[in-house]
């Protein structure tokens, strides 16, 4: 497993780096034999240390977790504990819904846009030009991501595992696209255009 450990305005010593690499590798290997790649960043926020962990598994899943502590070691303990709890819940759901395992994978373009500042949207410009789409300069990252075929329950498990706020997937029930997302109240919303699409009439 390839692990990159870095510090953001914090110096990461050899002992901490070695511990992160060892414990993260063994923690992931308990549940995913094929391993993957990981990035761990240690930073300081106020009087606390923060550990951000991003893992991309060989199977395509993404795991993201964060932890805080009075020192860098305890911050890493928090993020590792959070990640292992999510992985255990995810594996339990897979056992309960083994028929929901993805049958195929597609790829979809993923674009990251710079968030608007309040000042950016303060004044609307009426110059006859199209301002409904963001200018090219606002794009800060572009990549491809797997568009997996799975059931809604497995998609929910994937979202809880990754900690992403939303996931688009191909619904195994009907083959159309669906989106699940985390609502402000903590519940999960489900967008399924296929369920409301007009039915084709046959003669």
């Amino acid at each position: 497993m390839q692990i990159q450990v870095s510090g953001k305005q914090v110096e990461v010593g050899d002992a901490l780096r070695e511990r992160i690499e060892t414990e993260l590798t063994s923690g992931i290997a308990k549940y995913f034999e094929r391993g993957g790649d990981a990035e761990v960043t240690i930073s300081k926020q106020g009087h606390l240390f923060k550990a951000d962990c991003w893992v991309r598994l060989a199977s395509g899943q993404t795991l993201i977790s964060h932890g805080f502590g009075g020192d860098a070691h305890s911050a890493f303990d928090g993020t590792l504990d959070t990640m292992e709890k999510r992985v255990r819940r995810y594996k339990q759901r897979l056992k309960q819904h083994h028929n929901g395992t993805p049958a195929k994978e597609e790829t979809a373009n993923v674009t990251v846009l710079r968030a608007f500042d309040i000042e950016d949207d303060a004044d609307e410009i009426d110059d006859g030009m199209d301002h409904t789409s963001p200018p090219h300069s606002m794009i800060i990252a572009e990549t491809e991501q797997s568009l997996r075929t799975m059931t809604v329950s497995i998609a929910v498990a994937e979202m809880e595992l990754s900690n992403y706020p939303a996931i688009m997937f191909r619904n195994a029930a009907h083959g159309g696209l669906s989106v699940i997302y985390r609502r402000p109240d903590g519940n999960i919303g489900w967008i399924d255009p296929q369920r409301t699409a007009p039915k084709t009439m046959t003669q």
Side-chain angles (χ1 to χ4, degrees), residues 29-134:
K30 286 191 297 186
Y31 303 98
F32 301 97
E33 297 178 357
R34 296 167 59 191
D37 300 320
E39 296 179 12
V40 179
T41 303
I42 306 296
S43 60
K44 194 83 181 292
Q45 289 196 358
H47 64 283
L48 293 176
F49 284 81
K50 182 184 180 185
D52 296 299
C53 186
W54 178 92
V55 178
R56 174 72 173 179
L57 298 172
S59 54
Q61 290 100 334
T62 299
L63 294 77
I64 300 174
S65 64
H66 315 281
F68 292 88
D71 55 50
H73 285 272
S74 59
F76 174 68
D77 288 340
T79 191
L80 185 63
D81 182 61
T82 298
M83 183 171 292
E84 289 193 342
K85 286 180 180 177
R86 287 192 192 136
V87 170
R88 283 196 296 270
R89 288 198 301 264
Y90 176 74
K91 298 295 280 190
Q92 289 172 355
R93 287 200 178 189
L94 284 185
K95 290 180 180 179
Q96 295 170 358
H97 303 88
H98 57 88
N99 291 329
T101 303
K104 61 179 181 179
E105 283 192 5
E106 304 172 69
T107 58
N109 290 330
V110 177
T111 302
V112 180
L113 303 179
R114 180 180 63 84
F116 274 111
D117 293 327
I118 296 177
E119 292 79 6
D120 292 338
D121 202 28
D123 299 314
E124 294 185 3
I125 302 174
D126 185 13
D127 56 5
M129 299 180 64
D130 178 17
H131 294 280
T132 59
S133 58

Side-chain angles (χ1 to χ4, degrees), residues 22 29 38 46 51 74 113 125 142 155 164 180 201:
T22 300
S74 59
L113 303 179
I125 302 174
E142 288 185 284
Y164 281 153
I180 56 171
M201 296 185 63

Side-chain angles (χ1 to χ4, degrees), residues 121-187:
D121 202 28
D123 299 314
E124 294 185 3
I125 302 174
D126 185 13
D127 56 5
M129 299 180 64
D130 178 17
H131 294 280
T132 59
S133 58
H136 185 271
S137 60
M138 289 185 58
I139 298 176
I140 60 177
E142 288 185 284
T143 185
E144 286 190 352
Q145 190 169 349
S146 297
L147 181 64
R148 305 177 63 193
T149 299
M150 49 189 159
T151 63
V152 176
S153 60
I154 293 300
V156 171
E158 291 273 350
M159 188 170 69
E160 291 180 349
L161 176 70
S162 67
N163 204 31
Y164 281 153
I167 289 181
M168 176 182 286
F169 61 100
R170 193 166 292 283
N171 195 319
H174 52 63
L177 294 176
S178 290
V179 174
I180 56 171
Y181 62 96
R182 183 78 62 183
R183 290 163 42 99
D185 61 8
N187 294 316

Side-chain angles (χ1 to χ4, degrees), residues 20-32:
I20 291 175
E21 292 175 350
T22 300
E23 295 189 11
L24 186 57
T25 299
S26 61
I28 295 299
K30 286 191 297 186
Y31 303 98
F32 301 97

